[in-house]
Every structure is written in structure tokens, then in C-alpha cells.
Amino acid sequence: MSTLASLEERALADLRSCTEEAALRAWKTRYLEGEVDQAVKKIGTLPPAERPTYGKQVNELKKKLTAEYESALAAEKERALERSLASAPLDVTLPGRPVQRGRLHVSTQTLRSIYAIFADMGFQIYRSPEVEDDETNFGLLNMPEHHPARDMWDTFHTTRPGVLLRTHTSPGQIHVMRELCPKPIRVILPGMCYRYEAITTRSEIMFHQVEGLAIGEHVTMADLKGTLIAFARRLFGDQRKVRIRSSYFPFTEPSIEVDVDCIVCAGEGCSLCKRSGWLEILGAGMVHPVVLRNGGYDPACFSGFAFGMGPERIAMLTYAIDDIRQFWANDLRFLRQFGT
Ligand code: FA5
């Protein structure tokens, strides 16, 4: 018992000399987890008659030292807080720092507007790869090797022969047709495209496209016109005039391009529309029988339309942005202008 009394005396004296948290924790290791713990374990080695009295005393000692330790630790934490407040005073009257809100990139906002319009018309989103083979990007789209139309798309080739970065989203038509044939299709295929072109105010080497594809037993040019006119009116407003011109793409026959009247001059003629009064928004047409067949559909039973548009060009028209290079320059002064 006298050992317990001297342990208590030593432990309390040491505890009083601890002036920082680290010393208190060292004290806990030495006494509570060390000597006191040993004293508790000793109960089992004593003659049974001595155990109750010794056990009671050792437990009381443990309880007392634990309580003393906890109150010393709490007091030390309080003192440490006061020391830190005194050394670096906190001015609670200072105004807070404003939280910077992020926003969606203007291309993402435009893409989402396009998705919403086509979703309302029953088009689902289908993703297709950005790295393609030559055959899917060109061959299966009715542009065999050495076809002069390949020159319309200057291409980034990889070091693997026949593997390239897609120049347009149209190869996605082949992927979706082969996956869903012979079911009817109504999808849009958004994504990045890459072209080995000179960068100008209107052309980038990487840009988004949104492809559209509808296949069924009775899909006609009238369906294509109705879909595109409804799309243009919803995106640019009911008052917009829409013009359809004939064009050429190897994978559609007939092929068309769609213009809207210039948003800046309303058709009067200005520098944005190069004095024509019209702005081109997309290329489209009826899916060529060769492409239908390559996708697994029999052109005698199925027909379809396809279209491809550039969301960056559409955003340029919507917000009168005069240089496409702004989209990827990461200049926050530009990006902050769009959206809330
Ligand atoms: C095509 O890429 C065809 N695949 C579109 C198509 C799909 C036609 C299905 C018929 C059926 P084009 O090269 O015109 O066509 O590009 C389509 C759109 O992508 C253009 O109207 C333009 O908005 C955008 N675009 C093309 N090149 C660039 C570029 N370098 N930078 C930014 N946008 C571009």
C-alpha cells in the first residue's frame, strides 16, 4: 500500500510540473499506461486475501490520476488557446473573403442547350470514340482511299498506321448503326473533333461537333427539314429566318447546309455574315445508301437523315464572339461573361 501512496505522490508532483501538452502526454504514457497499469496487473499475483483491499486502492488511484490528468490537459489547452490569441490577435470585424463561384464553360452551356432541344424531340445521346481508324472515319462513310473528298478534312494521324484523331463526329454513325441494327435510331453524337488546319478566327484545330442520326422505314427529307427548322427556331428564337441550301458530303445524298439570318444585322449585311445576311450553322442530308449498308441497314427498306453542327460556331453566333481562339485560351475575363 505504501508503494501506491508513493506512486500517487510522485505522479501528482510530476503532473504539476508539466507545462505543455506534449509533457502531459508523456506523463500519461509513463504513469497511467505504465506504472499504474503495472500496479493493476499486480492484483492477480497477490494472495487472494489481499486482493480486494489492494484492488480497491489501485482502482481508486487510477481513477484519481486519470481525472487529474484530464483536468490538467483541459487547462493546458485553454492556456494554449489564450497564448495563441494573445500572440496573433484575431480581428473578427474584418470583412470575409468573397467565395469565387465557378461556372460552366460557354461550350458546355451551348452543348447542354443543344442536348435539351433534341431530347425534347426524342433524340438520345450516344458517345463514340475520339480516336478512330481510317476506315471508320473515311472508308465506311463512302470515302475510299484516294477519294478526293478526303481533302475536305485535314487529318491528325497517329504513329500507328491507319489510326487517327477523328476529323468529325460522322464515324459515330457507323458505330451506332452497327450496334442498333435493325432497330430504328434517333440519336445525337456529341464530342471533340480534330483537324490539322491553320488556326484562324473561325477555325480551331480542336472543336466540338454534335452529329445527329435518325434511321427508320419511312424517314424523309421533310423529316430532316422539320427537325432542323424546329431546332434552329428553338435555339435562335421564333423570329429567325432559316435557309436551306444544297451542298455536298460524300456520306449524304442529297446534302444540304442550313443558314440562319445574321443575328447582328438581321439579314442587312455586316462583317460577321460577310455581307451575305446569312450564317451557316450545320451540314446535313439523307444518309447515303452505301453508308446505310455499311451500318448493316438495307437501303431498300430503311432510310435516314444525318446532320453535323459545330457548337463553338453556334455560340459565336449566339453571343457575337468574333474569335474562336477565345474558347480554349482560358482567359477568365472572357469565360466569366457567360452564364450566372
Ligand atoms: C462535317 O464535318 C460533316 N461531318 C457534317 C455532316 C454530318 C454533314 C452529317 C452531313 C451529315 P463540316 O466540315 O462542314 O462537315 O463541319 C460541320 C460543322 O463543324 C461546321 O458547320 C462548323 O460549325 C464546325 N466546324 C468545322 N470545322 C471547324 C473548325 N476548324 N473549327 C470550329 N468548328 C468547325
Side-chain angles (χ1 to χ4, degrees), residues 70-190:
E70 275 164 9
S71 95
L73 188 65
E76 174 49 31
K77 279 189 175 164
E78 188 65 27
R79 280 195 301 276
L81 179 63
E82 271 160 24
R83 280 198 300 272
S84 108
L85 288 174
S87 66
L90 179 70
D91 183 353
V92 289
T93 63
L94 279 176
R97 292 192 187 93
V99 177
Q100 297 271 335
R101 275 188 73 200
R103 63 195 65 196
L104 293 175
H105 191 281
V106 55
S107 292
T108 309
Q109 291 182 38
T110 311
L111 280 166
R112 289 192 178 182
S113 309
I114 296 171
Y115 300 162
I117 296 169
F118 283 110
D120 287 349
M121 293 197 249
F123 284 77
Q124 289 185 310
I125 292 181
Y126 185 97
R127 302 272 174 192
S128 76
E130 289 179 23
V131 179
E132 275 293 0
D133 53 43
D134 186 276
E135 182 67 353
T136 322
N137 196 77
F138 293 118
L140 296 170
L141 291 173
N142 201 22
M143 285 176 278
E145 239 178 292
H146 309 302
H147 191 291
R150 286 190 178 211
D151 289 350
M152 287 163 75
W153 293 279
D154 294 312
T155 310
F156 281 110
H157 295 273
T158 68
T159 45
R160 279 262 296 276
V163 178
L164 47 83
L165 299 184
R166 68 175 172 194
T167 54
H168 51 172
T169 41
S170 299
Q173 291 184 30
I174 300 292
H175 292 294
V176 71
M177 280 195 263
R178 288 188 168 179
E179 188 179 318
L180 298 182
C181 181
K183 292 186 194 139
I185 295 175
R186 209 188 294 176
V187 293
I188 53 169
L189 304 107

Side-chain angles (χ1 to χ4, degrees), residues 153 167-170 173 195 197 202-205 207-209 211 249 251-252 257 280-285 306-310 312-313 324:
W153 293 279
T167 54
H168 51 172
T169 41
S170 299
Q173 291 184 30
R195 289 191 195 173
E197 285 183 356
R202 288 175 50 77
S203 298
E204 256 292 358
I205 56 169
F207 54 94
H208 288 98
Q209 277 192 351
E211 188 87 5
F249 296 101
F251 33 88
T252 45
E257 275 176 322
E280 178 204 312
I281 58 163
L282 56 87
F307 54 84
M309 65 185 76
E312 280 80 33
R313 292 261 178 90
I324 199 170

Side-chain angles (χ1 to χ4, degrees), residues 180-322:
L180 298 182
C181 181
K183 292 186 194 139
I185 295 175
R186 209 188 294 176
V187 293
I188 53 169
L189 304 107
M192 255 320 169
C193 302
Y194 305 86
R195 289 191 195 173
Y196 187 47
E197 285 183 356
I199 299 175
T200 67
T201 51
R202 288 175 50 77
S203 298
E204 256 292 358
I205 56 169
M206 53 180 270
F207 54 94
H208 288 98
Q209 277 192 351
V210 178
E211 188 87 5
L213 179 69
I215 308 257
E217 287 180 26
H218 306 287
V219 177
T220 66
M221 189 75 181
D223 296 320
L224 173 60
K225 280 172 68 179
T227 305
L228 295 181
I229 290 171
F231 165 73
R233 295 244 159 91
R234 274 212 41 202
L235 193 67
F236 296 107
D238 277 344
Q239 307 311 317
R240 284 268 83 85
K241 285 195 208 126
V242 179
R243 179 173 84 169
I244 292 178
R245 285 179 289 113
S246 69
S247 184
Y248 170 74
F249 296 101
F251 33 88
T252 45
E253 180 58 40
S255 303
I256 58 169
E257 275 176 322
V258 176
D259 301 336
V260 289
D261 60 337
C262 179
I263 54 145
V264 172
C265 64
E268 295 294 313
C270 69
S271 59
L272 182 67
C273 60
K274 297 195 196 120
R275 313 264 155 232
S276 71
W278 296 96
L279 297 164
E280 178 204 312
I281 58 163
L282 56 87
M286 297 306 290
V287 181
H288 196 288
V290 169
V291 178
L292 278 175
R293 207 172 288 117
N294 288 338
Y297 287 82
D298 179 356
C301 311
F302 290 94
S303 56
F305 66 70
F307 54 84
M309 65 185 76
E312 280 80 33
R313 292 261 178 90
I314 286 177
M316 289 173 81
L317 303 183
T318 313
Y319 302 112
I321 298 166
D322 58 7

Side-chain angles (χ1 to χ4, degrees), residues 316-335:
M316 289 173 81
L317 303 183
T318 313
Y319 302 112
I321 298 166
D322 58 7
D323 193 335
I324 199 170
R325 286 170 286 199
Q326 300 272 23
F327 284 83
W328 316 123
N330 282 338
D331 183 340
L332 289 179
R333 289 168 303 177
F334 169 76
L335 296 172

